[in-house]
Amino acid sequence: MMSQLQSIADPTTTALGRGIQAIGFGKLGRRPLSPDLMEECRQVLLSDQGDPLQKGAFLGALLAKGPTPEEQSLETVFGKNAFLNPAFFINKVCPDLPTSLFPIATKLLKGHILRASEAHQLGNFLFSDDNCETFKGMATSLLRIRIESNDEYKGFYDAAMETITPGFRQLSCVDRPLVQLAEPFDGVEHTYLVTPLLAHFFEQRGYGALSVVGRTPGPNYTLNAHDLYLYLGCQMLQSNHEINTPPEPFGWVLDQKALSPALNRWVDRRRIILKRPFLATLEKILNPCSARILVTSVFQVPFQMKMAELALMAGFDAVIVMKRGLEGSLSPATSRSSGILCAVRTARGHLFYQNFDIDLPAFAEYRTETDEIVTNLQVSDNVRLIRDFMKDGETDSEDFDNRAHFTQALLGRGMDWIEGQLDGRTMKDVRLS
């Protein structure tokens, strides 16, 4: 039976929505619920009128965070000591959960790491049309807050790849190595993106450029690469067979909607549960076109190495991970520490890496005192800057020009290193953790 998503005018204004935002991990860390908000959430849970996805995401975040003594009182909604008894709690909160998922559900609530096969099974359920939206919200919340292991990502990756449409299950017919560009799908609020210019940069370097995009799942709704490529009039791939046609000036563009309707449906769920689940990472590393190099970015610097490991797990031979890009994008900061982590797969399947930061003397000319904060970000303005830069090599925005030149110089330095390693593959292995 196909699950039905409820429509919420503004998920951030509901009691459970505000609760998710309060106790979810983020810049402010773990925050307890205020007494008033806790009472509002209690009443929603008692009435069972809240959105099932939000209910699951709220409870998952609460249990993963660890309830305060005051928050512990919420368990009376479900029964005495419900928070201490995962089996009882799951039966009470998710009575429609398939029996086969019960052991995995209790394991998640206990904070245990899933085996790759268990994650695969859970992924199949999450990407299916089966009911039990409450558990889907709870599972994604639990996974996000405790950070997934590589084995879990492997299981979820395999499950996600099983959802891709038939046209992308065929090998691509590209006659040159592909570079896949993928920045966070939720996009930006105050930053001009340079992504199409980077695709053109790789095309000029002799690669095929493939930008992976999709609808924004939030919390940013102003602009993302998907909006940018649509406004530029770029055609979206419908199958791997189209990769044997000459690319647009900005390479090929792959929309998540065409790649996997199951993943695309999760965009609406993610807007309801508000926080970024594991899918924010997974959707960037899917490699249906057998690209050789991934260029992506991370929000948190410590996650750089994890992203490199996951890229190699997904079949890429090399990866460039941007750190401290503006709002997490592929547009690097020029006024503070920023740079890239480059990694390659060695002949024995291990990881070898190198960092390149803006502090290097070669990048001194690009450093600035501040980074521009765009106060009225419009896709039309961003597109105009991209077209002007493509045509004349400059625009009427000094900040945009400097950032575009810096990004190309930074990625060029990284690609020089990667190409040297892939040609030789004589480096010392660094084992994946």
Side-chain angles (χ1 to χ4, degrees), residues 71-90:
E71 292 166 345
Q72 191 72 32
S73 65
L74 288 173
E75 74 174 359
T76 59
V77 173
F78 310 103
K80 185 178 180 180
N81 297 323
F83 289 168
L84 300 177
N85 189 331
F88 173 82
F89 183 76
I90 287 294

Side-chain angles (χ1 to χ4, degrees), residues 57-333:
F58 170 79
L59 292 171
L62 180 66
L63 294 179
K65 174 183 76 70
T68 64
E70 293 77 17
E71 292 166 345
Q72 191 72 32
S73 65
L74 288 173
E75 74 174 359
T76 59
V77 173
F78 310 103
K80 185 178 180 180
N81 297 323
F83 289 168
L84 300 177
N85 189 331
F88 173 82
F89 183 76
I90 287 294
N91 271 322
K92 192 73 174 179
V93 178
C94 307
D96 52 348
L97 182 69
T99 305
S100 60
L101 268 295
F102 195 84
I104 292 175
T106 55
K107 194 170 182 177
L108 277 179
L109 282 172
K110 291 178 180 178
H112 297 170
I113 303 299
L114 302 181
R115 298 191 301 271
S117 59
E118 293 171 323
H120 192 164
Q121 182 182 354
L122 176 58
N124 286 339
F125 171 75
L126 293 176
F127 301 140
S128 73
D129 290 327
D130 293 338
N131 279 320
C132 200
E133 293 296 303
T134 300
F135 180 67
K136 288 179 179 179
M138 185 184 300
T140 53
S141 191
L142 287 166
L143 288 165
R144 174 192 175 272
I145 287 179
R146 65 171 174 75
I147 303 178
E148 304 80 3
S149 71
N150 286 1
D151 278 347
E152 287 173 333
Y153 267 119
K154 178 64 167 65
F156 294 136
Y157 180 90
D158 290 342
M161 288 296 288
E162 290 172 6
T163 71
I164 65 175
T165 53
F168 289 102
R169 296 182 186 180
Q170 307 295 323
L171 291 177
S172 62
C173 305
V174 68
D175 59 357
R176 49 188 163 149
L178 277 178
V179 173
Q180 179 170 310
L181 294 95
E183 60 193 337
F185 285 19
D186 69 335
V188 292
E189 299 285 340
H190 302 290
T191 303
Y192 287 126
L193 299 178
V194 297
T195 322
L197 295 177
L198 304 184
H200 181 72
F201 167 79
F202 285 111
E203 290 280 341
Q204 295 296 104
R205 201 173 169 108
Y207 293 88
L210 173 72
S211 295
V212 178
V213 301
R215 294 185 298 139
T216 175
N220 299 338
Y221 292 98
T222 300
L223 171 66
N224 71 358
H226 180 261
D227 303 324
L228 210 54
Y229 282 111
L230 284 177
Y231 204 99
L232 282 165
C234 297
Q235 296 295 313
M236 304 288 175
L237 286 176
Q238 298 301 312
S239 75
N240 275 341
H241 296 295
E242 297 176 7
I243 293 185
N244 64 0
T245 61
E248 300 286 340
F250 305 113
W252 295 284
V253 186
L254 173 56
D255 187 350
Q256 185 183 76
K257 182 178 181 179
L259 174 66
S260 169
L263 287 177
N264 183 59
R265 284 193 296 272
W266 259 95
V267 172
D268 298 311
R269 290 189 176 95
R270 291 158 69 180
R271 291 177 175 181
I272 293 173
I273 63 177
L274 301 174
K275 295 292 184 176
R276 296 183 181 95
F278 67 95
L279 288 168
T281 296
L282 188 68
E283 64 194 357
K284 293 189 294 183
I285 65 171
L286 295 182
N287 189 13
C289 302
S290 302
R292 194 176 190 197
I293 300 170
L294 174 67
V295 179
T296 189
S297 59
V298 294
F299 286 100
Q300 299 173 335
V301 174
F303 203 73
Q304 264 192 306
M305 187 59 72
K306 164 79 79 171
M307 180 61 79
E309 294 172 356
L310 296 178
L312 301 191
M313 175 206 77
F316 296 96
D317 287 331
V319 58
I320 297 177
V321 185
M322 179 77 68
K323 69 175 181 180
R324 293 195 177 95
L326 296 181
E327 300 185 70
S329 71
L330 287 173
S331 297

Side-chain angles (χ1 to χ4, degrees), residues 190-191 324 326 331-338 358 364-374 397-404 406:
H190 302 290
T191 303
R324 293 195 177 95
L326 296 181
S331 297
T334 56
S335 67
R336 62 179 187 270
S337 178
S338 63
I358 195 173
E365 64 181 292
Y366 305 111
R367 291 192 64 89
T368 61
E369 291 295 323
T370 60
D371 287 288
E372 180 183 15
I373 298 175
V374 184
S397 170
E398 184 178 341
D399 181 272
F400 182 88
D401 294 349
N402 182 62
R403 198 175 317 283
F406 172 47

